[in-house]
């Protein structure tokens, strides 16, 4: 696909999303959206290491906890997209302008995060123990890191 | 049930929960737990008015949005209990000491919140439109308000 074509697709898809979830109806003020996405990321930042500790044998494996924490990551990942609307690039945020100048790349990370966290939930539910968590955990951590490297100020 | 009996039941149940979800394994520092529960409540505070606007006809009714927002409330309500562990009564928090001195009453609110948000999800999914949201929405709002009145500093 050519670059302009990719952009057209991304814009069309973005417009579809916007129709389904009108950003203006979600947040009264841009700073609410910023605080909302930071709240989501704080919860995720507290949750991911719990799974990492289990995957790496630093904490005892507990399937119910693994499932609950994986589900928290999966659910909260779906709360992200609406919180990066127009006007939320300024203020108390480390979000880089590239989020809005390269929306297709940013959206890819969001899709990847949803896919990776879904795999983590499946792995936890399947009951393969700590070893089965390792791969999916690594994949989720990699998506987090990639997105932060590309789209978050140091 | 007598008061001491109720307390014994609450303590036993609390101990059971603690065994299933060890607070110390969840949060490295009390301030993390405080920030975590505030993050949960901020997300809920952004979500509830969207349902209120639909229930009251101030925003157009959109079933997918109603379900998504109700599910956000229901899911995040389950993240609460672990974030009020020992040592999280001090710091950057408006939590009142009664949370820890009357855990049975506080737990009742948490249970009520989970029950009320589950009803809201069911009402949104059933597709009865804005009118069907009114009752369950009011019930959720009432639980929020009751708990804030009893357990949160002005």
């Amino acid at each position: 696909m050519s670059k302009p074509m990719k952009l057209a697709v991304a814009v069309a898809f973005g417009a579809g999303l916007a129709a389904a979830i009108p950003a203006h109806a979600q947040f009264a003020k841009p700073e609410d959206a910023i605080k909302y996405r930071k709240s989501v990321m704080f919860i995720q930042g507290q949750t991911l290491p719990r799974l990492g500790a289990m995957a790496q044998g630093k904490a005892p494996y507990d399937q119910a906890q693994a499932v609950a924490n994986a589900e928290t990551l999966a659910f909260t990942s779906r709360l992200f997209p609406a919180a990066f609307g127009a006007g939320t690039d300024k203020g108390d945020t480390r979000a880089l302008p590239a989020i809005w100048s390269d929306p297709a790349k940013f959206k890819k990370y969001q899709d990847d995060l949803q896919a990776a966290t879904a795999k983590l939930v499946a792995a936890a539910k399947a009951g393969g123990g700590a070893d089965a968590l390792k791969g999916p955990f690594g994949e989720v951590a990699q998506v987090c890191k990639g997105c932060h490297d590309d789209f978050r100020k140091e």
Side-chain angles (χ1 to χ4, degrees), chain A:
Chain A
M1 212 187 307
S2 69
K3 273 203 174 169
M5 184 67 195
K6 268 191 194 161
L7 184 64
V9 169
V11 167
F13 189 64
L17 266 183
I21 310 170
H24 60 87
Q26 299 257 334
F27 300 102
K29 297 169 293 182
E31 52 264 44
D32 289 342
I34 291 170
K35 192 170 173 185
Y36 184 94
R37 68 200 188 205
K38 288 168 104 168
S39 296
V40 169
M41 274 182 277
F42 184 79
I43 291 169
Q44 293 178 331
Q46 290 293 308
T47 307
L48 188 66
R50 297 173 193 169
L51 288 156
M54 280 196 264
Q56 293 153 14
K58 291 175 189 167
Y61 185 78
D62 177 319
Q63 191 184 2
Q65 282 300 299
V67 171
N69 284 311
E71 284 181 336
T72 298
L73 291 178
F75 191 93
T76 53
S77 293
R78 295 196 293 270
L79 301 179
F80 262 135
F84 288 91
T88 67
D89 54 333
K90 301 278 189 295
D92 185 18
T93 178
R94 292 162 70 194
L96 288 173
I99 289 174
W100 294 274
S101 64
D102 193 351
K105 187 175 178 185
F106 184 62
K107 185 176 184 312
K108 173 80 164 60
Y109 275 120
Q110 301 212 358
D111 293 345
D112 287 352
L113 183 62
Q114 291 183 22
T117 54
K119 273 197 230 174
L120 193 59
V121 170
K125 283 188 173 170
D131 282 344
L133 282 187
K134 277 178 194 159
F137 167 79
E139 204 176 317
V140 172
Q142 199 56 42
V143 178
C144 296
K145 186 185 181 308
C147 195
H148 291 165
D149 286 350
D150 289 348
F151 292 112
R152 190 176 69 169
K153 271 182 211 117
E154 275 304 316

